[in-house]
Amino acid sequence: MIVNSHPFQASGAAGDLFSHRQADHSCAVKNPSAKPDHAVRFSFRVENARHIEKAYGSGIIHEAVRQLHLLLDEMVGANGLVTLVGEGCLDLLIEDVGVLGAGPLVSACQAWLDSACSMVQRTTFGTSAGPVCLWLSGAWAIFPAGIATAPDAASATGVDGFRFTGDPVQDNAQWERQYCKDMAVAARVCGLMAPRNFDQSAEEWITLFWQAVRDPDDEKSVLYFEALARFVSAKNGERSPGTIIECLERIGFSRTFDEYVFDLVLAELERSPEPVIGVNVSAKSVAFDPWWEAVEQRLRSNPGVASRLVIEITETAALPSISLAAQFISRMRRLGCSNALDDFGVGFTSVQQLVALAPDIVKIDKFFMVRALRSARDVAVVVHLAGLARAAGATVIAEGIETSLQADIARRAQNDWQQGHIWGAATASRPWRTGCFRAGGW
């Protein structure tokens, strides 16, 4: 069975087609101008099918793909025919192309495919080994009606714009055990991201906490508030995602979580005209795809939001491409957004990336501020890192400031701003509503 689904909010008829209703999943609005003499074939592939087969066995991926088959069937109803064509591969033939929506057929096909892939990536599928998540990719082709099986007859083609960034399959038992653990985490997170209609009985949910980045010489001067995702339950209280992000990065689903949190932050900025807010994005998500293009359009139409948004790139995983990341930062900067390189000095950050990405802000990882309490040599490291960041033209933030001694070390190292418990713990309340802060700048 399909455990949950989180519909992708596409616009127009494509969005209607993916509105999941308990009784009827085929609710598309027909396009009266569509040509009846054309058909469209969508070809889908489960990119992590081999991963699931290796970790769980062939029976489990077969169960999950059968659930996917049923989901696609429900989505198109009598308007299309879904066929299993290979291991983790399905074809969908739609002859009544009006169900794809209004407008040019090529655009409708692309929007439909992108919406379908995004929606499946936020759905968990029930199996006898527990729920699993599937990363769906796809392609479309328009054919003259009646010859949709002849590849050379296609008049137009396209592919989805989402990249699968999961780690490759490894042939050892340790990898299999880790993958099963990571998948269990991903399935739980996807379940928490599913719409609950404000279900107060939910055992756990995701919310945002806020922590200020402050001027150490003027406590009321705030550069921005960082949005920190928290998992909250009545039993365990609130806790940081911690290693959950690394689990999602390993199996290729960190972008799904980033999308969810990013949407929460954009909604907050649209509601509240006062704060500047920073939001974390995994390095694996830093490349344009259909979802980022939708965000770009949203920010372009609201420059007042874009100018108050700081995108913090966290590098617990390696950047898939420095050039794609540089293009991403450049496009977001043109919209008015600021960009930060988080956790500088640890993980996968490097001087090469600092120079190539030219971020507006660099955040020195708290690891160095802890060590700075030990020796003069460790203090010198903090000074050196801050100097590198300033040389690259960035505003420098020292993270993890817990004591007055650390605050003094960071100040002497010429870190422009500081963040940590000494300046205020992360809180679920929105600090900007109190009016007890003054916007800073860089």
Side-chain angles (χ1 to χ4, degrees):
M1 65 175 177
I2 299 168
V3 177
N4 71 66
S5 61
H6 192 144
F8 178 72
Q9 299 299 315
S11 59
D16 293 336
L17 191 59
F18 296 108
S19 296
H20 276 223
R21 300 175 180 176
Q22 291 182 348
D24 182 10
H25 290 242
S26 57
C27 51
V29 177
K30 291 191 176 184
N31 176 2
S33 64
K35 298 179 180 180
D37 55 344
H38 283 78
V40 177
R41 188 177 74 228
F42 293 92
S43 299
F44 295 104
R45 182 173 65 192
V46 178
E47 295 290 347
N48 60 336
R50 185 164 172 261
H51 298 69
I52 295 172
E53 180 179 11
K54 179 64 177 172
Y56 293 92
S58 58
I60 299 305
I61 187 59
H62 291 160
E63 290 180 36
V65 171
R66 280 198 297 270
Q67 295 299 320
L68 174 60
H69 191 301
L70 291 174
L71 177 59
L72 293 173
D73 263 337
E74 290 177 344
M75 284 160 53
V76 298
N79 298 308
L81 175 65
V82 183
T83 308
L84 184 64
V85 295
E87 191 68 36
C89 297
L90 304 97
D91 273 2
L92 167 59
L93 177 63
I94 294 181
E95 295 185 330
D96 184 1
V97 296
V99 303
L100 297 175
L105 184 55
V106 168
S107 300
C109 288
Q110 190 64 53
W112 201 97
L113 176 64
D114 290 339
S115 299
C117 291
S118 181
M119 184 272 294
V120 169
Q121 291 156 14
R122 298 176 73 168
T123 299
T124 51
F125 297 85
T127 75
S128 57
V132 298
C133 301
L134 303 179
W135 188 276
L136 193 67
S137 66
W140 58 267
I142 300 172
F143 295 89
I147 57 171
T149 57
D152 294 339
S155 60
T157 60
V159 298
D160 76 277
F162 299 106
R163 298 172 305 114
F164 177 63
T165 61
D167 293 346
V169 174
Q170 296 182 28
D171 190 17
N172 62 75
Q174 181 179 355
W175 178 89
E176 293 170 10
R177 288 192 297 270
Q178 185 63 58
Y179 189 86
C180 291
K181 291 178 181 177
D182 291 346
M183 180 59 77
V185 170
R188 180 169 66 85
V189 171
C190 282
L192 296 177
M193 293 189 294
R196 293 187 177 275
N197 297 319
F198 302 101
D199 179 5
Q200 298 300 316
S201 65
E203 295 182 358
E204 188 176 24
W205 59 95
I206 300 171
T207 191
L208 295 180
F209 277 50
W210 315 93
Q211 187 175 40
V213 176
R214 297 187 184 274
D215 182 342
D217 297 318
D218 182 358
E219 189 174 337
K220 290 186 177 180
S221 182
V222 174
L223 186 64
Y224 65 89
F225 296 93
E226 182 179 358
L228 301 167
R230 292 290 185 264
F231 292 82
V232 180
S233 68
K235 180 179 179 181
N236 299 316
E238 62 91 7
R239 54 198 179 87
S240 167
T243 58
I244 289 175
I245 301 302
E246 295 175 28
C247 294
L248 297 176
E249 287 175 335
R250 280 193 294 267
I251 65 170
F253 283 84
S254 55
R255 194 200 67 84
T256 306
F257 182 73
D258 287 342
E259 176 183 333
Y260 181 80
V261 174
F262 203 96
D263 280 339
L264 292 179
V265 168
L266 286 184
E268 186 66 44
L269 286 167
E270 289 165 348
R271 284 192 300 267
S272 306
E274 306 93 352
V276 178
I277 297 178
V279 58
N280 291 292
V281 173
S282 167
K284 288 198 170 187
S285 300
V286 183
F288 263 80
D289 60 22
W291 177 74
W292 278 118
E293 288 167 358
V295 168
E296 186 178 38
Q297 293 176 9
R298 187 173 172 183
L299 292 173
R300 185 176 289 115
S301 66
N302 198 338
V305 167
S307 65
R308 294 183 292 114
L309 177 63
V310 179
I311 301 171
E312 296 193 14
I313 302 171
T314 62
E315 293 199 71
T316 49
L319 285 166
S321 166
I322 293 180
S323 62
L324 287 178
Q327 292 171 25
F328 172 89
I329 287 177
S330 178
R331 284 175 68 168
M332 300 306 287
R333 184 178 284 133
R334 284 198 296 271
L335 293 171
C337 304
S338 299
N339 298 275
L341 194 61
D342 200 8
D343 309 320
F344 183 62
V346 299
F348 289 86
T349 57
S350 68
V351 176
Q352 178 191 12
Q353 291 169 2
L354 174 65
V355 173
L357 300 181
D360 303 296
I361 299 167
V362 169
K363 302 184 76 173
I364 307 296
D365 190 79
K366 63 182 180 181
F367 167 82
F368 299 100
M369 297 313 306
V370 172
R371 291 189 61 90
L373 297 175
R374 299 182 179 182
S375 68
R377 183 172 65 180
D378 289 307
V379 171
V381 170
V382 173
V383 173
H384 177 68
L385 290 172
L388 276 174
R390 287 196 308 277
T395 294
V396 188
I397 299 171
E399 295 185 288
I401 305 301
E402 311 294 334
T403 69
S404 57
L405 179 56
Q406 286 177 316
D408 185 58
I409 291 171
R411 186 184 289 106
R412 286 189 283 114
Q414 298 183 50
N415 288 270
D416 306 297
W417 300 82
Q418 298 182 13
Q419 182 178 5
H421 283 192
I422 193 173
W423 303 117
T427 175
S429 63
R430 293 164 173 79
W432 52 89
R433 292 185 177 175
T434 66
C436 296
F437 80 98
R438 182 172 60 257
W442 61 83

